[in-house]
Amino acid sequence: MPNTQTAQLAQQLASWPRMVALVRPDGSGSLTINGTERACAAASIEELRTGMIARCVSYAIQLGRPVRLDVDEAPNAWTLAVRADGIVQEIDETGELPSPDGLAPIEGRCRTCRHLEPVIAAACSQCATPEPHRVELDATVTESAQLATIRGEESQPEEQTLDRTPSAPQTRLQLTFNGQPAVVVDGHAAIGRDPEPVNARTPVRVQSPQQLVSRTHLFVDLDEEGRIVVTDNGSGNGTEAQTEPPMRLDAGTPYALHPGTTLHLGDATCRIDLV
């Protein structure tokens, strides 16, 4: 990955969202975000690295904090902190975030015109290509695959961490489906007809008489700031948030929801609350 530097620590790097980059010497690889893998490719390994970092920067911008990126580039592996300003730093196993003093933001060539652009660029300043560093191959990836906040921009006040220390107070998720009793989970759920426990999430089965709910249809998580975050797992019939107006969720893109939001999952509904 690009040259980085370890400085004096300042704070703990959050472990959510879970981002893992697989980088191969031929410029191919994949970027997995919250369990959803996206194939990636670029003209060179340097451009692949830059594109993956640019995608992580888009999440850091929306979250307003650095995000963690675990990189597998055989025979090496790194854990990086990716900041919203495009600065990237290597961190150790403690997850402590170094100071960015003395570091410069990452830059790379536009995928269309080759103009040098910072990784924070939403469009090329030379040719106006959207997401000039994008390396994802999946056609379903939107031009702005950032964390979308539905029904307002303010985050929820409850504190929540992925470090499930027994003595710490925890907000829990309550999931209410049509025709089923409410289900309460500790903060991470995989919802579907026969869901897999992806990344140790709690599997929650949904009744789907018409088989319109996918086996592992949707992920619901609480982030470190206590926000409800949902991610459609590439479901066959999609997920729609019953907001004003209703909004269909892009597969693989995390969305922050307010408590009390109802989702349509094929022939099922799911209301999400905090308890």
Side-chain angles (χ1 to χ4, degrees):
M1 300 299 285
N3 292 331
T4 59
Q5 172 181 330
T6 300
Q8 296 297 314
L9 63 88
Q11 65 186 86
Q12 193 75 17
L13 180 65
S15 59
W16 185 95
R18 300 179 180 92
M19 299 185 178
V20 180
L22 173 62
V23 179
R24 302 188 185 94
D26 63 356
S28 67
S30 65
L31 184 62
T32 302
I33 301 174
N34 286 343
T36 300
E37 184 177 18
R38 295 167 175 164
C40 301
S44 68
I45 192 171
E46 290 79 12
E47 291 183 28
L48 179 67
R49 293 166 177 161
T50 301
M52 290 176 168
I53 287 172
R55 175 62 66 225
C56 295
V57 167
S58 71
Y59 284 92
I61 290 171
Q62 287 293 317
L63 289 167
R65 59 167 172 80
V67 296
R68 175 178 176 138
L69 175 62
D70 292 308
V71 181
D72 180 3
E73 187 175 333
N76 301 308
W78 299 273
T79 298
L80 305 178
V82 181
R83 294 179 177 268
D85 57 5
I87 290 177
V88 177
Q89 301 161 276
E90 187 173 356
I91 62 173
D92 59 25
E93 64 278 0
T94 67
E96 293 174 331
L97 186 63
S99 166
D101 293 348
L103 299 179
I106 300 296
E107 296 181 324
R109 298 290 176 183
C110 170
R111 58 193 169 98
T112 301
C113 72
R114 316 305 297 164
H115 188 259
L116 191 64
E117 294 288 337
V119 289
I120 63 172
C124 177
S125 62
Q126 185 79 13
C127 68
T129 295
E131 295 187 304
H133 303 299
R134 193 179 70 187
V135 293
E136 291 95 338
L137 298 178
D138 187 351
T140 65
V141 175
T142 63
E143 290 293 341
S144 183
Q146 301 176 351
L147 183 93
T149 302
I150 300 177
R151 290 171 56 192
E153 297 297 327
E154 295 183 0
S155 61
Q156 299 303 307
E158 294 87 356
E159 292 185 359
Q160 177 72 23
T161 67
L162 295 180
D163 180 11
R164 302 178 186 178
T165 305
S167 60
Q170 298 239 347
T171 300
R172 307 178 78 192
L173 290 167
Q174 178 173 282
L175 309 173
T176 306
F177 303 96
N178 53 314
Q180 295 181 230
V183 178
V184 177
V185 299
D186 283 336
H188 308 282
I191 297 172
R193 287 187 292 108
D194 187 19
E196 296 288 336
V198 178
N199 289 331
R201 292 179 174 92
T202 301
V204 179
R205 292 177 181 267
V206 182
Q207 296 175 2
S208 179
Q210 301 178 50
Q211 303 287 294
L212 298 180
V213 175
S214 298
R215 287 190 59 195
T216 306
H217 193 109
L218 180 77
F219 301 135
V220 182
D221 299 289
L222 288 177
D223 69 4
E224 279 84 354
E225 298 176 7
R227 295 185 299 181
I228 298 169
V229 179
V230 300
T231 309
D232 183 277
N233 187 41
S235 63
N237 289 294
T239 303
E240 184 179 83
Q242 298 307 290
T243 55
E244 292 296 338
M247 181 173 184
R248 188 174 178 87
L249 310 188
D250 293 321
T253 299
Y255 291 80
L257 301 178
H258 284 261
T261 301
T262 296
L263 303 176
H264 275 184
L265 322 171
D267 57 346
T269 62
C270 174
R271 177 188 167 99
I272 306 175
D273 294 285
L274 298 179
V275 294

